[in-house]
Amino acid sequence: MKIDTKLTRLLGIKYPIIQGGMVWTSGADLASAVSNAGGLGVLGAGSMYPEQLREAIINCKAKTTFPFGVNIPLMYPDIEEHITTVIEHKVPVVITSAGNPNLFTKRLRSHGIKVLHVVSSLKFALKAEQAEVNGIIAEGFEAGGHNGREENTTLVLLQLLYRHPFKIPIVAAGGIATGSAMLACFHMGASGVQMGSRFLMTKESTAHQNFKDLVKSLGEGDTILSLKELAPVRLIKNEFYASVLELYQKGASTEELRSLLGRGRAKKGIYEGDLVEGELEIGQISALLDDIVSVETLMTTFLKEYELATQKKNF
Ligand code: NDP
């Protein structure tokens, strides 16, 4: 089976499925496995020092001959070095997020790199289109990690974008983990999906086992969008979140929140497995995730679900 859409044609991939380039989880093993299975694997450069990114790109190229991408949050401290690295290493696709798409799109495209930008609202989607990105990832606030302030859900966001005649592909993200959800997104004008949480729960992701086991046990309402004063982030309601809540209840200032957050909390939680003190970033769809599988199994199951959904006429 092959699923032909504007996105697969743009990126030269078999299935319109992008693996979100998440911090601390998305290294060469995960990205190459997704690309080898017909999707677009993505390295998460937000948690990599420049030398680590270079190494990850080299490793990824050694493990796959298919296209892969790098996610670069534009607020990254050494952003110039990351941009130079992806150009030098001829990375096929760059996904930018959390910043102004005007900054690097033209430069990256002039080197033949396809650029997709993550947006949380129609307003930002229009800005990205003007910046001449090749595609837009429309991410609802169901998503884990850093998120939009508007709290648009994926469904609302897709409907807002649907009215505008975008020529470039729209990729739906946030709250997606099943083939039936991908079919629904196609009907809402999307040419593909990006999934983060679903791919975090694979054998190939570098998230700590403690974190993966906790995600298995999560139910509805166990994550929340918080810390809007700093950078809105969806996280698990653990002990660290309880301390954040306590500060809110005391009417704490932004500075007090920043000082509680400190540095490296996401690493502590996601990568080192400290479930108490860590910032545990995962999407709302974690309520549905109760197994850890290989990327290959995930993709096969997902595509079966998609096929079955196309045959159902129960509406
Ligand atoms: P912090 O400031 O709390 O910590 C920085 C972390 O990033 C450290 O753990 C550090 O690793 C690592 N790091 C990698 N490269 C650098 C660098 N050049 N300078 C400093 N630190 C670096 O930030 P966060 O953990 O909250 O976020 C880190 C990055 O990830 C940011 O760029 C942020 O925008 C991005 N991010 C993106 C998300 C998304 O959804 N797209 C979600 C969360 C974060 P070490 O401890 O080994 O020094």
Side-chain angles (χ1 to χ4, degrees), residues 16-28 30-32 34-35 39-48 69-73 95-97 116 118 137 139 143-144 171-174 176 193-202 204-206 282 295 298-299:
I17 301 167
I18 299 179
Q19 163 248 316
M22 302 161 282
V23 291
W24 302 116
T25 68
S26 312
L30 178 59
S32 60
V34 176
S35 291
L40 185 82
V42 180
L43 298 168
S47 53
M48 294 179 191
V70 173
N71 173 283
I72 308 180
I95 298 180
T96 53
S97 56
L116 285 87
V118 184
I137 301 184
E139 185 175 81
V171 179
I176 298 166
V193 293
Q194 175 178 280
M195 297 190 287
S197 302
R198 178 67 277 200
F199 280 112
L200 184 143
M201 294 294 277
T202 57
E204 290 88 345
S205 103
T206 52
I282 195 83
V295 165
L298 186 164
M299 290 289 279

Side-chain angles (χ1 to χ4, degrees), residues 98-116:
N100 183 351
N102 274 310
L103 288 174
F104 300 107
T105 300
K106 287 199 179 69
R107 191 160 132 208
L108 291 165
R109 286 198 61 180
S110 73
H111 290 274
I113 296 176
K114 306 267 169 34
V115 181
L116 285 87

Side-chain angles (χ1 to χ4, degrees), residues 7-18:
L7 184 75
T8 58
R9 290 193 289 276
L10 171 72
L11 303 180
I13 54 177
K14 197 169 170 193
Y15 305 118
I17 301 167
I18 299 179

